[in-house]
Amino acid sequence: DLTMGGLLDSLSVAAGALLKTRAGLDVTGHNIANINTPGYARRTLQLAALAPNEPLGPGRGVEVVQIRALRDQYIESRIGRELSGQKSDEAALEGLRAVEAAVGLPGESLDVQLTAFFDAFSGLASDVTSSSVRDSVVREAQSLGAAFSAMSGRFSEMQRTSDGAVRSGVAELNELASTVARINSEISGSGGFNADALRDERAVALTRMAELANVTVREREDGAVDLLMTGGH
């Protein structure tokens, strides 16, 4: 009976090891299935040896300690800061390109009207009694004024577009903050069984927030995060 019991114990240990190996394959399959999922962090299976039941025993095989997501808060915060800086530079560059387009290239912008205006005045200085020259000065002045007005209108439209983009960005930022707050609450109350999936979802929201504003992320002990913007808000 003792021999049979020992054999059954050995078979049980081996069967348990096979089940744990299957769990590892399941984790690998889950990683492959989510390779293109935004925000997904690769999972890894952590195993530990089971202690024997009696002195000099060989042990009771292996157990699954946890399935952990390979996520580094420091690296993610660095990526967030770099992403924020990149998006800020892109926004500034886009604004400068819009200004450049509004001003126009040399020979195709205000410099043409300015040159014509001063040339008309130069002609008037040479012949102040000529009515045609005076009319030419008036025409060029009106043309120059219209060009300034048109450019002012383009700048005003650019400002309205930028203001609208800021308002839209603020609204999206508030919506994302609400999403993060909801996920924080769910992570704190989930008991950990779905915490990694929630963190993946939160990572997507935090990445988008970093694109919209300079956001600093501070993780709490309960797994939730605090978000701080410039000025401590």
Side-chain angles (χ1 to χ4, degrees), residues 1-13:
D1 292 339
L2 290 175
T3 301
M4 181 61 70
L7 177 60
L8 291 176
D9 288 342
S10 297
L11 291 176
S12 177
V13 170

Side-chain angles (χ1 to χ4, degrees), residues 1-188:
D1 292 339
L2 290 175
T3 301
M4 181 61 70
L7 177 60
L8 291 176
D9 288 342
S10 297
L11 291 176
S12 177
V13 170
L18 289 175
L19 289 175
K20 305 309 183 293
T21 301
R22 177 183 173 182
L25 292 175
D26 290 341
V27 171
T28 300
H30 185 66
N31 288 334
I32 294 173
N34 288 277
I35 191 170
N36 293 318
T37 300
Y40 180 78
R42 184 167 64 88
R43 310 302 199 253
T44 182
L45 185 70
Q46 290 188 324
L47 302 175
L50 287 170
N53 288 327
E54 57 186 19
L56 303 181
R60 293 178 292 118
V62 67
E63 67 173 343
V64 175
V65 176
Q66 67 172 339
I67 297 175
R68 186 171 63 89
L70 297 180
R71 181 178 287 108
D72 190 307
Q73 185 65 33
Y74 173 75
I75 293 177
E76 289 185 350
S77 64
R78 286 293 303 271
I79 291 174
R81 288 197 295 271
E82 294 300 325
L83 182 61
S84 178
Q86 176 190 350
K87 292 299 180 179
S88 177
D89 292 341
E90 289 178 356
L93 179 60
E94 183 179 353
L96 291 173
R97 284 173 174 168
V99 170
E100 184 179 34
V103 172
L105 298 174
E108 301 177 4
S109 185
L110 280 178
D111 59 325
V112 176
Q113 283 81 14
L114 283 169
T115 300
F117 178 69
F118 287 119
D119 286 346
F121 260 108
S122 178
L124 181 62
S126 301
D127 188 2
V128 296
T129 61
S130 173
S131 60
S132 62
V133 174
R134 290 198 297 268
D135 290 341
S136 176
V137 170
V138 172
R139 285 194 303 271
E140 295 301 337
Q142 291 173 340
S143 177
L144 180 60
F148 271 113
S149 178
M151 181 173 290
S152 176
R154 290 194 292 271
F155 282 138
S156 297
E157 180 61 29
M158 288 168 50
Q159 183 177 9
R160 285 191 293 270
T161 301
S162 297
D163 290 343
V166 170
R167 286 192 294 270
S168 177
V170 170
E172 184 179 359
L173 199 61
N174 287 332
E175 183 177 351
L176 290 167
S178 297
T179 298
V180 172
R182 172 185 59 79
I183 297 174
N184 277 345
S185 178
E186 293 179 6
I187 288 176
S188 300

